[in-house]
Amino acid sequence: MPNFECRNGIFPARSVSLPAGAVATCLLLFAGPGVRASESPATAAASILTVNIVDAETGGALPARCSVTGQSGIHCYPPPGKSFYHSVEEGYFYCSGHYSVIVPEGKITIRTGYGFEYAAEVRTVDVAADTALVVSLDRICDMRAAGWYPGDPHTHLNHGYGYYTLDPCEALFMATAEDLAMINCLDNEYYFTGRPDPCSSPGCVVYMTEEKRSGVYGHYGLLGLNELLQPASENWGAILSDFADAAHSQEGAIVIAAHPVSSEDFGQIIDWPGSGIARELPVDMIRGKVDAVEIMSYSNCGWGVQTGPWYDLLNCGFRIPCCGGT
C-alpha cells in the first residue's frame, strides 16, 4: 500500500479522535471524544509487537482497521504520528498495512478488519519478547464485480465544535482502510469544490458536500452538490423540500434523511438532539423528495440503529432505500 500524498505531508499524518463511523451498507464503528497516546501497563515487562497485514490471495499489503488489547483490557496504540486512532469504547486505529506497538507481555488480542468484502480476524498471541507476525485476510466476496460499491454517505471532517479538524486527504486514508469506494463529507463550505476532491484515488472518491440542518424539520444530507445551498443551517426557515428540489436540480445530486430519530422527544425543537428528528420526512416521502433514509447513524438514538421509520415507509408502499452513515 503506497503512502498517500496529502495537504499535510505523507500519510499517516497524525493521530485524531473522530465520532463513530459507518458506511452506506451499514458498517458501525464505536467511538467517542478523546485521544490518548499508545498505552501499556506500568510494568517493566513490555515488548514491541509488529504486524503486517496482507491479502491472503495476492500477498499484497492491505490497509486496515485494527485494535490491540492486553489481557488486562488496556488498549494499545501506535505512537502519535503513525496512525489515526480512537481511544474510547473498544479502541481501534487505522494503518496502511503495517504497524508496531508497545504491548505488555502476556496474552494480546489482535483484531483486524478491512471493509465488508474480507473476513475480519481476531487472534490471540502470547507475547514474551519482541514479536512480528503476518495477518492474512481472506476475501469472501467481490461486490464491485457485481456492480455494488461500499460508501459512507455521512461523515464530518470539521464538525464546527472543536472536536477535530481533518482534511480530505485524511478522509481518503481512513476510507481506504475501510475499503470504501466513496466517502461523502458533509461540511458545507469546508474544502467544497463542487466535484470530487482532487485527493480522490482511482479506488475511492472523496466528495465534500453539504448537510442542510433545520432545527424544526430535521437534517438532510445533500450529496453530490455542484453548488452549495444557503442557508445551510436555520430554524423556522424554508421547509426542507425546497432544498431537496434545489439539490435535485443539480445533476447527480441525491437527498438523504439524516439520523431521522436523533431523539424520542418529538416536542424538543431547535435544541439538539430533538432538532435532528426528521419531522418533515413523511410529507417529503409522499412528494418524492427523499432518495434514502439513514437507519444507522452515530446520531440516531438507540445505539445508533433506528429501523422503525424505514419499515413504516415500506409498509406504506414507498420503495425507499436505507443506508448507514457516520
Side-chain angles (χ1 to χ4, degrees):
M1 178 77 187
N3 284 324
F4 291 107
E5 296 286 347
C6 71
R7 295 180 176 91
N8 290 341
I10 301 294
F11 262 109
R14 52 196 168 95
S15 300
V16 300
S17 173
L18 299 176
V23 298
T25 41
C26 300
L27 167 66
L28 182 64
L29 310 180
F30 296 93
V35 174
R36 61 188 176 186
S38 178
E39 296 192 17
S40 60
T43 66
S47 301
I48 298 175
L49 174 67
T50 299
V51 178
N52 290 286
I53 303 158
V54 300
D55 184 309
E57 181 178 354
T58 68
L62 288 179
R65 175 161 50 95
C66 313
S67 74
V68 177
T69 310
Q71 59 187 7
S72 64
I74 291 180
H75 305 298
C76 306
Y77 304 90
K82 299 298 183 182
S83 71
F84 290 92
Y85 57 84
H86 302 249
S87 60
V88 180
E89 299 282 348
E90 298 180 9
Y92 64 90
F93 56 90
Y94 293 115
C95 77
S96 58
H98 168 91
Y99 65 87
S100 294
V101 61
I102 298 174
V103 298
E105 293 186 357
K107 293 188 182 300
I108 303 297
T109 300
I110 301 165
R111 296 176 173 86
T112 311
Y114 177 58
F116 295 110
E117 299 184 22
Y118 285 76
E121 180 186 285
V122 179
R123 179 188 304 188
T124 298
V125 296
D126 214 341
V127 174
D130 291 352
T131 302
L133 57 87
V134 175
V135 172
S136 298
L137 298 182
D138 293 307
R139 178 182 282 278
I140 56 176
C141 63
D142 188 352
M143 297 301 293
R144 288 168 174 81
W148 293 85
Y149 296 85
D152 193 327
H154 189 166
T155 70
H156 292 292
L157 300 187
N158 182 354
H159 209 282
Y161 305 108
Y163 297 140
Y164 50 83
T165 302
L166 306 176
D167 68 31
C169 291
E170 292 163 326
L172 176 65
F173 174 65
M174 291 181 284
T176 302
E178 294 284 6
D179 193 27
L180 299 183
M182 186 166 195
I183 182 168
N184 295 275
C185 310
L186 313 188
D187 294 295
N188 307 335
E189 295 91 352
Y190 192 67
Y191 284 106
F192 179 79
T193 63
R195 59 186 62 86
D197 191 86
C199 78
S200 299
S201 71
C204 181
V205 173
V206 177
Y207 208 113
M208 305 298 294
T209 187
E210 178 177 347
E211 180 177 5
K212 168 60 182 176
R213 298 184 177 98
S214 169
V216 177
Y217 307 119
H219 295 192
Y220 281 179
L222 309 178
L223 277 56
L225 292 182
N226 309 127
E227 297 180 5
L228 292 173
L229 305 180
Q230 299 294 340
S233 180
E234 58 184 338
N235 293 319
W236 295 99
I239 60 176
L240 292 172
S241 65
D242 293 343
F243 288 85
D245 287 341
H248 284 142
S249 71
Q250 300 184 30
E251 184 178 2
I254 62 175
V255 177
I256 294 177
H259 48 69
V261 190
S262 58
S263 170
E264 294 179 346
D265 185 356
F266 196 82
Q268 182 189 36
I269 61 173
I270 298 178
D271 294 327
W272 182 262
S275 60
I277 297 174
R279 294 178 177 85
E280 193 180 319
L281 179 59
V283 174
D284 285 351
M285 281 301 309
I286 293 171
R287 302 177 65 198
K289 307 294 185 181
V290 179
D291 301 304
V293 176
E294 275 185 1
I295 64 169
M296 297 183 72
S297 168
Y298 178 71
S299 295
N300 271 332
C301 63
W303 295 100
V305 181
Q306 287 289 339
T307 57
W310 181 52
Y311 289 144
D312 290 342
L313 293 171
L314 294 177
N315 288 337
C316 289
F318 297 107
R319 302 286 290 179
I320 180 75
C322 67
C323 64
T326 301

